[in-house]
């Protein structure tokens, strides 16, 4: 054991040094102590949060974490004040995104199953749905356009009417069995859509910048990758609202249901913020016309930024000026409006193991309407408890058997303990957790200033350009050699410089001055105007940006960007009289100059032959 552990320990020392302020690569950083300690402490007891029986201390804490996050987003958690939210932890943003789609699906197609079962039983229900009519009077198209709240209310009303009708327990059981069979998951997609031919399989709408877990979610849920619809982005790498609206209009006209639309709050590559407020407006207008879709926010990265917008005592949403204090740019009016609208979404993905500074695995799914749990429960609780006891207390009691309502089964209670203790010690408002978030944004503003200064300083030799303004805490930039107008060479040069910022198995980690990350703007996946502007800025011939590359040497189907997540909160701290960002900028200058020297010594530029372009490992 000693030998194995020593080997492991030795190899672990070569892992990416996330804790270091010289790590400015991916969404990783040093962790918050309350979380680390709580995690260690709890791990020894090994609780399993699949059910309270296996995690009596940690399951209630996990539910509480759900409410802590819900409050940060502005969802209601007070049962006295109406619809309450709920949330739970997942292994990460990926699973939380799957749950978003899964929840939407089970709710959306429930009314059809119910109407079908009622038909078989020869019964009907009075005054249900958005128009308060008989269930049998709704068309199938109307039934798939009930909102989440409509469907939750529908179920409550059905339960009340059944219990008032004096239906026998045996009949209730039969009715329930038919509903179960007639749901989309009961029949399976092929039979369900085969039976209801007027209803086409639904679409899911996400921006191009969406994380690849959205592709996976449609694959896993069997909804067809073909039904994932991508919205174009604008020059700021945010969802283009005109294109979004156009898509919604098209699907409405063609009577194709939309399961959900996703807005990204802090995209993985660029930390850009989609116009959530405008998406919601379009959703509300569509609903008024009888066309409904859920709105999910993928805030895996940016979710914790919401803490910066919440006041301590009242949990009220702050004025823009309050948030702006101590900062130079953040938040623009657009961004402020987007954050404000988060409270009106239907569900949210957030990753405590990203900007929550907690250990892996810790993602979270938060839904605005706790009523959705009745549609996803393994024990199909709808109609079981006919008494319609939807009191907050009884709902919470149900949730104790967490495994019934989530995709995962056994799961770490330690992660729940870590999140809970952290949120208690560093509460999710602007005076506590928000300060941490603010530092990351401040660092980004500082970085922006400094990289601009460096660009001016080196403008005779290289062009350093920031393709779009870094609105939050991730910054990207491109570097081109002055006088070069070919994209392939620019990318080649960028990669050569980046080589020194990359973790490489063959070189001791301790030799690295800094660790960065990179990304690309891929041909056909970005706004044409943006591509044109970026390339012109970099003095690149736009003709050299191509959709296809014939060989791996002519890497010109993308624009290579240096990318830095400025998540470590220590970057403005000084080490030997110079802060880490200044140090990095100086180092970058050195790297660029060294690479320029090599380039000038090399024979003609075209001679970049085999092996010179680094193999991608990400
Ligand atoms: C990281 C991320 C995900 C995936 O989360 P995991 O925790 O890696 O599963 C999804 N969406 C966005 C926007 C992300 O940044």
């Amino acid at each position: 054991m000693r030998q194995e552990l020593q080997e492991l320990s030795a190899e672990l020392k070569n892992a990416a040094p996330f804790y270091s302020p010289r790590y400015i690569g991916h969404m990783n950083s040093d962790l918050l102590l309350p979380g680390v300690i709580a995690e260690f402490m709890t791990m020894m007891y090994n609780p399993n949060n699949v059910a309270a029986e296996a995690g009596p201390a940690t399951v209630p804490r996990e539910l509480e974490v759900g409410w802590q996050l819900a409050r940060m987003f502005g969802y209601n958690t007070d049962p006295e004040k109406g619809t309450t939210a709920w949330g739970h932890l997942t292994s990460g943003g990926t699973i939380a995104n799957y749950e978003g789609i899964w929840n939407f699906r089970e709710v959306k197609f429930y009314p059809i199953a119910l109407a079908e079962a009622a038909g078989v039983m020869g019964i009907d229900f009075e005054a249900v749905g958005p128009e308060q009519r008989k269930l049998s009077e709704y068309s199938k198209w109307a039934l798939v356009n009930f909102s989440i709240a409509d469907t939750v209310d529908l179920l409550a009303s059905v339960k009340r009417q059944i219990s008032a009708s004096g239906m026998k327990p045996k009949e209730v059981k039969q009715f329930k069995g038919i509903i179960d069979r007639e749901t989309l998951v009961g029949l399976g997609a092929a039979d369900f859509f085969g039976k209801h031919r007027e209803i086409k399989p639904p679409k899911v709408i996400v921006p191009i910048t969406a994380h690849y877990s959205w592709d996976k979610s449609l694959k896993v849920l069997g909804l067809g990758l073909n039904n994932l619809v991508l919205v174009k982005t604008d020059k700021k790498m945010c969802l283009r609202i005109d294109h979004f609206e156009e898509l919604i209009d098209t699907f409405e006209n063609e009577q194709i249901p939309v399961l959900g639309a996703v807005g990204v709050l802090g995209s993985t590559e660029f930390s850009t913020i989609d116009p959530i407020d405008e998406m919601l407006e379009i959703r509300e207008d569509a609903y008024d016309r009888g066309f409904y879709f859920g709105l999910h926010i993928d805030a895996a990265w940016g979710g914790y930024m919401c803490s910066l917008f919440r006041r301590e005592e009242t949990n009220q949403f702050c004025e823009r000026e309050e948030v702006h204090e101590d900062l130079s740019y953040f938040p623009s009016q657009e961004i402020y409006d987007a954050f404000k609208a988060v409270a009106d979404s239907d569900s949210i993905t957030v990753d405590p193991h990203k900007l929550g500074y907690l250990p892996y695995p810790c993602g979270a799914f938060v839904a605005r309407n706790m009523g959705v749990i009745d549609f996803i429960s393994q024990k199909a609780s709808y109609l079981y408890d006919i008494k319609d006891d939807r009191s907050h207390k009884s709902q919470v009691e149900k949730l104790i058997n967490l495994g019934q309502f989530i995709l995962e089964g056994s799961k770490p209670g330690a992660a729940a303990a870590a999140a809970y203790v952290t949120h208690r010690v560093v509460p999710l408002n602007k005076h506590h957790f928000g300060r941490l978030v603010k530092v990351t944004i401040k660092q980004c503003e500082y970085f922006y200033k400094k990289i601009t200064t460096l660009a001016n300083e080196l403008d005779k030799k290289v062009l350093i350009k920031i393709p779009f303004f870094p609105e939050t805490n991730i910054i990207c930039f491109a570097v081109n050699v002055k006088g070069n107008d070919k994209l392939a060479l620019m990318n080649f040069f960028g990669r050569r410089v980046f080589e020194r910022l990359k973790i490489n198995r063959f070189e001791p980690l301790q030799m690295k001055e800094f660790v960065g990350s990179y990304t690309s703007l891929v041909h056909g996946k970005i706004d044409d105007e943006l591509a044109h502007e970026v390339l012109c800025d970099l003095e690149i011939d736009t003709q050299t940006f191509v959709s296809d590359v014939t060989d791996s040497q002519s890497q010109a189907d993308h624009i290579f960007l240096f990318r830095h997540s400025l998540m470590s909160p220590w970057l403005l701290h000084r080490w030997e009289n110079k802060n880490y960002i200044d140090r990095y900028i100086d180092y970058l200058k050195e790297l660029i100059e060294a690479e320029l020297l090599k380039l000038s010594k090399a024979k003609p530029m075209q001679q970049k032959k085999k092996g010179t372009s680094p193999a991608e490992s990400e």
Side-chain angles (χ1 to χ4, degrees):
M1 184 166 81
R2 182 180 303 139
Q3 186 185 334
E4 286 303 323
L5 291 177
Q6 268 169 359
E7 269 175 38
L8 175 64
S9 170
E11 291 214 20
L12 284 172
K13 288 189 177 96
N14 265 329
F18 299 145
Y19 52 84
S20 170
R22 292 191 285 145
Y23 183 87
I24 44 173
H26 293 286
M27 300 156 149
N28 273 307
S29 155
D30 204 355
L31 301 172
L32 282 168
L33 273 181
V36 174
I37 297 170
E39 176 107 13
F40 272 158
M41 208 171 96
T42 313
M43 196 166 59
M44 297 299 162
Y45 294 88
N46 198 27
N48 179 355
N49 271 20
V50 71
E53 218 174 69
T58 46
V59 168
R61 281 179 170 76
E62 174 159 348
L63 296 174
E64 192 51 48
V65 168
W67 289 308
Q68 288 166 336
L69 293 168
R71 281 191 288 274
M72 170 175 73
F73 295 132
Y75 286 173
N76 176 47
T77 58
D78 178 358
E80 305 278 292
K81 291 187 183 151
T83 307
T84 47
W86 90 287
H88 69 91
L89 299 177
T90 60
S91 69
T94 300
I95 302 290
N97 284 344
Y98 296 176
E99 289 204 3
I101 293 302
W102 177 49
N103 278 232
F104 282 166
R105 185 182 71 180
E106 307 316 6
V107 177
K108 192 173 200 63
F109 295 105
Y110 174 80
I112 287 198
L114 179 73
E116 194 71 20
V120 174
M121 297 288 290
I123 52 177
D124 206 351
F125 298 96
E126 303 286 337
V128 291
E131 290 169 37
Q132 291 293 297
R133 290 195 284 169
K134 279 191 178 152
L135 184 63
S136 61
E137 286 173 4
Y138 286 99
S139 68
K140 285 184 183 171
W141 176 245
L143 291 172
V144 290
N145 284 296
F146 277 26
S147 71
I148 293 174
D150 290 337
T151 305
V152 170
D153 290 346
L154 167 69
L155 178 57
S157 175
V158 163
K159 283 182 180 178
R160 272 196 304 273
Q161 293 186 38
I162 287 185
S163 93
S165 75
M167 198 193 251
K168 295 200 183 67
K170 216 176 118 193
E171 281 172 327
V172 174
K173 198 171 165 210
Q174 190 191 356
F175 182 36
K176 188 200 146 293
I178 303 173
I179 300 174
D180 277 350
R181 196 186 65 217
E182 293 296 329
T183 57
L184 195 153
V185 281
L187 290 174
D191 284 352
F192 184 89
F193 293 109
K195 182 165 187 173
H196 306 286
R197 290 200 173 273
E198 52 281 61
I199 300 301
K200 299 191 185 91
K203 303 284 179 192
V204 174
I205 305 179
V206 306
I208 288 175
T209 43
H211 189 262
Y212 70 103
S213 51
W214 289 103
D215 282 37
K216 289 203 270 183
S217 78
L218 272 88
K219 292 186 194 167
V220 173
L221 290 166
L223 290 166
L225 203 48
N226 208 19
N227 291 316
L228 185 72
V229 181
L230 300 178
V231 193
K232 292 179 188 159
T233 48
D234 62 13
K235 287 201 302 193
K236 294 155 108 185
M237 268 340 242
C238 298
L239 173 136
R240 240 178 66 190
I241 203 72
D242 59 327
H243 188 220
F244 178 67
E245 190 161 26
E246 195 184 305
L247 289 167
I248 296 297
D249 288 347
T250 308
F251 295 135
E252 184 181 358
N253 291 336
E254 292 175 11
Q255 295 221 336
I256 298 174
V258 172
L259 200 52
V262 178
V264 182
L265 198 80
S267 57
T268 316
E269 296 303 313
F270 318 112
S271 194
T272 46
I273 310 285
D274 284 337
I276 309 292
D277 49 325
E278 294 178 281
M279 293 176 80
L280 276 159
E281 259 171 50
I282 289 170
R283 197 276 291 271
E284 292 315 310
D285 288 349
Y287 177 60
D288 288 344
R289 298 188 303 264
F291 185 63
Y292 179 85
F293 53 93
L295 199 117
H296 180 87
I297 299 184
D298 186 354
W301 170 246
Y304 276 84
M305 287 182 207
C306 294
S307 65
L308 185 50
F309 293 80
R310 291 275 155 204
R311 290 202 192 128
E312 184 168 13
E313 290 87 19
T314 56
N315 198 41
Q316 262 174 342
F317 197 79
C318 297
E319 296 299 325
R320 193 171 147 213
E321 295 68 45
E322 281 175 82
V323 181
H324 181 63
E325 233 172 272
D326 281 344
L327 295 173
S328 310
Y329 314 103
F330 188 87
S332 66
Q333 187 65 47
E334 283 96 337
I335 284 191
Y336 178 80
D337 293 341
F339 273 94
K340 195 166 185 178
V342 166
D344 297 322
S345 64
D346 297 302
S347 49
I348 302 172
T349 291
V350 55
D351 264 347
H353 66 208
K354 281 185 182 160
L355 210 47
Y357 298 86
L358 282 161
Y360 299 111
C362 199
F365 172 74
V366 186
R368 188 154 75 118
N369 194 332
M370 199 197 276
V372 297
I373 64 168
D374 287 338
F375 302 91
I376 53 178
S377 162
Q378 281 313 298
K379 281 218 181 86
S381 65
Y382 48 85
L383 300 190
Y384 258 136
D385 40 353
I386 272 298
K387 281 196 291 300
D388 186 35
D389 183 5
R390 288 190 311 148
S391 69
H392 189 67
K393 193 160 157 267
S394 94
Q395 291 282 77
V396 173
E397 267 163 25
K398 266 192 254 170
L399 285 173
I400 289 294
N401 292 311
L402 200 49
Q404 302 283 340
F405 309 99
I406 65 177
L407 288 180
E408 287 162 274
S410 293
K411 59 208 287 289
Y420 177 80
V421 171
T422 301
H423 296 166
R424 295 287 297 174
V425 178
V426 195
L428 303 176
N429 58 54
K430 88 174 186 113
H431 305 279
H432 299 96
F433 206 101
R435 284 167 58 198
L436 188 52
V437 171
K438 192 171 241 180
V439 168
T440 67
I441 295 171
K442 203 171 169 162
Q443 292 174 161
C444 194
E445 295 183 342
Y446 184 85
F447 193 114
Y448 177 73
K449 244 187 353 211
K450 291 295 170 156
I451 193 86
T452 312
T453 311
L454 179 68
N456 292 336
E457 204 180 307
L458 295 180
D459 67 355
K460 299 279 174 319
K461 303 178 201 162
V462 287
L463 293 161
I464 302 177
K465 298 288 173 189
I466 295 155
F468 35 83
F469 188 72
E471 299 267 15
T472 55
N473 51 15
I474 293 182
I475 187 163
C476 298
F477 57 90
V479 183
N480 187 23
V481 180
K482 191 83 184 162
N484 167 51
D485 67 353
K486 305 219 167 24
L487 182 57
L489 178 64
M490 183 194 108
N491 286 345
F492 171 75
F493 183 78
R495 277 169 207 278
R496 291 294 311 174
V497 174
F498 183 75
E499 196 58 7
R500 301 285 301 278
L501 298 169
K502 185 168 124 183
I503 293 181
N504 153 355
R505 276 186 300 132
F506 309 107
E507 190 187 9
L509 194 63
Q510 290 75 7
M511 304 289 286
K512 292 278 160 206
E513 282 297 321
F514 280 91
V515 177
S517 65
Y518 70 89
T519 187
S520 342
L521 301 175
V522 179
H523 194 282
K525 281 193 143 191
I526 61 164
D527 179 57
D528 291 341
E529 219 180 299
L530 170 65
H532 191 83
E533 260 180 37
V534 171
L535 293 172
C536 290
D537 253 13
L538 288 159
E539 296 175 6
I540 294 286
D541 174 3
T542 51
Q543 299 294 319
T544 66
F545 186 31
V546 295
S547 57
D548 266 320
V549 287
T550 39
D551 67 283
S552 60
Q553 297 304 311
S554 56
Q555 300 186 352
D557 59 344
H558 65 275
I559 304 170
F560 179 86
L561 299 179
F562 291 76
R563 166 182 175 274
H564 299 295
S565 313
L566 304 175
M567 191 180 153
S568 163
W570 311 116
L571 303 181
L572 294 176
H573 279 243
R574 290 201 184 113
W575 162 42
E576 290 175 0
N577 271 329
K578 207 194 254 176
N579 75 41
Y580 289 91
I581 292 177
D582 287 340
R583 274 177 190 279
Y584 173 68
I585 300 284
D586 288 353
Y587 182 59
L588 182 67
K589 184 178 164 191
E590 252 175 60
L591 294 184
I592 290 175
E593 286 181 331
E595 222 37 68
L596 280 173
L597 200 64
K598 275 192 221 159
L599 201 64
S600 69
K601 278 189 190 150
K603 274 155 274 165
M605 286 174 180
Q606 291 84 317
Q607 285 206 348
K608 47 185 174 65
K609 281 272 165 60
K610 65 171 168 46
T612 42
S613 64
E616 303 309 334
S617 60
E618 280 183 272

